[in-house]
Amino acid sequence: MKRFFKSKFFYVITALTLAAVIIPTVLCRMGLSSYLRSTVNNVLTPVRRLADRAAASLEGYAEYFYRFDSLVSENQRLKEENTALKEEVYNSRELKEQYDWLSEYLDIKMRSPDIKWVNASVFGDGGVSGSDVFMLDRGKNAGIEKFMPVITGDGLLGYISDAGHNWSRVTSVLESSSAVGAYVERSGASGVLEGDYFLASDGLCRLSYLDGDADIEVGDRILTEGYGSVYPRDLTVGYVEKTEKDELSRTVTAYVRPSAFSASDSKITEVMVITSYETDTEE
């Protein structure tokens, strides 16, 4: 301890302390306090400026981080709103598709209110326009049996040719074994709509056994006749694309494009299976 009081460091500290006390006192007694304040201000001004800049910088950083957090929160909120809007659009689109799909059958239901049906989806390789066989995801568990008519929103597709517990097979009107009693809506001329192996590749059927003087033209709509058939009356089959007259047999043959296959690249995904209807009988 004695060494400390005898050291140069002690003397320097003591001298500075005395100077810090005595010099301001002397200057004040001499009336030079303003000089003292000026000197102190000159010394402290750069320090104050540095402190102000540091404070401003810290305030800027604080504001930046605050704004950053706000932007992160806003971005998250917008993402959630976007997801909700996408969900609403998806649900609206799905509901619209269901509405459009069901409304396609409304005209049939209005014309034949006694008709009852169940919907089914097409799966597997079936469903492409021009196919003659379609597989459905519903069967006997949904009340579907063999020989029940199958329609799309556009018209007649065919009939159930086989059914299991949860599946069924549709043979379309394009298949060569298919035969449907049909008539011309405009004139009432009637014949038999038959599938044909060669015509099927072009998506066409043949309306045969028309009288030679039958009133039938290109563009006429063909409907099911319903008499003694597996099909109810007045289902849309399709439209006439061309006619041929056979002078030897005195008959007319019309080539019909079924409405269910009207688009060459379309894919049939949903159908209705008619499970019951009132049967028309010819008087």
Side-chain angles (χ1 to χ4, degrees):
M1 182 64 69
K2 292 180 179 180
R3 289 181 180 179
F4 172 74
F5 289 111
K6 293 180 179 181
S7 66
K8 292 181 179 180
F9 179 75
F10 173 74
Y11 290 126
V12 171
I13 293 298
T14 302
L16 292 174
T17 303
L18 291 173
V21 173
I22 295 172
I23 291 174
T25 303
V26 173
L27 291 175
C28 289
R29 292 294 182 94
M30 295 174 65
L32 298 176
S33 58
S34 60
Y35 176 77
L36 176 62
R37 287 194 297 270
S38 176
T39 302
V40 171
N41 287 334
N42 289 337
V43 173
L44 294 180
T45 295
V47 177
R48 289 173 179 170
R49 289 177 179 173
L50 181 62
D52 290 342
R53 290 179 181 177
S57 299
L58 290 174
E59 184 179 356
Y61 278 115
E63 183 179 0
Y64 170 78
F65 284 112
Y66 173 76
R67 292 182 61 190
F68 180 78
D69 290 341
S70 298
L71 289 173
V72 170
S73 300
E74 180 69 11
N75 186 51
Q76 181 62 31
R77 184 183 67 80
L78 290 174
K79 283 184 177 179
E80 293 174 355
E81 288 183 359
N82 187 45
T83 301
L85 288 173
K86 284 182 177 180
E87 186 69 19
E88 288 182 9
V89 170
Y90 174 80
N91 291 336
S92 297
R93 186 179 302 163
E94 187 176 23
L95 288 173
K96 183 180 183 302
E97 289 176 355
Q98 291 177 359
Y99 172 79
D100 291 342
W101 177 65
L102 290 172
S103 65
E104 290 175 342
Y105 299 90
L106 182 59
D107 183 56
I108 300 172
K109 190 69 175 177
M110 290 179 66
R111 286 187 285 114
S112 304
D114 58 290
I115 287 180
K116 295 181 180 179
W117 49 39
V118 296
N119 67 296
S121 298
V122 177
F123 69 91
D125 295 332
V128 179
S129 179
S131 299
D132 55 5
V133 174
F134 297 81
M135 297 298 298
L136 307 183
D137 65 350
R138 306 188 76 177
K140 294 181 179 180
N141 60 339
I144 296 175
E145 300 289 345
K146 290 180 65 175
F147 303 116
M148 286 182 172
V150 182
I151 60 176
T152 70
D154 297 313
L156 180 64
L157 180 64
Y159 66 94
I160 300 294
S161 55
D162 198 5
H165 176 69
N166 58 357
W167 62 270
S168 53
R169 180 183 293 113
V170 181
T171 295
S172 81
V173 291
L174 297 177
E175 214 276 331
S176 56
S177 63
S178 175
V180 183
Y183 74 99
V184 181
E185 181 183 34
R186 179 181 57 82
S187 66
S190 62
V192 177
L193 188 80
E194 300 174 315
D196 182 275
Y197 176 80
F198 297 102
L199 292 175
S201 59
D202 294 325
L204 294 173
C205 298
R206 181 175 54 242
L207 184 60
S208 306
Y209 307 110
L210 291 165
D211 293 336
D213 58 352
D215 184 5
I216 184 168
E217 299 174 354
V218 172
D220 278 338
R221 185 162 75 153
I222 306 302
L223 306 177
T224 54
E225 200 167 36
Y227 298 126
S229 171
V230 297
Y231 304 103
R233 185 175 175 82
D234 291 339
L235 294 178
T236 298
V237 176
Y239 295 85
V240 176
E241 287 209 347
K242 68 175 182 177
T243 61
E244 288 181 354
K245 181 174 288 189
D246 188 333
E247 297 295 344
L248 184 62
S249 63
R250 296 182 180 180
T251 60
V252 174
T253 299
Y255 297 92
V256 179
R257 184 174 299 279
S259 299
F261 305 100
S262 57
S264 60
D265 60 346
S266 65
K267 186 173 179 65
I268 299 170
T269 57
E270 300 289 335
V271 300
M272 288 286 193
V273 180
I274 297 176
T275 57
S276 66
Y277 63 92
E278 289 185 3
T279 303
D280 290 323
T281 56
E282 189 172 10
E283 297 180 357

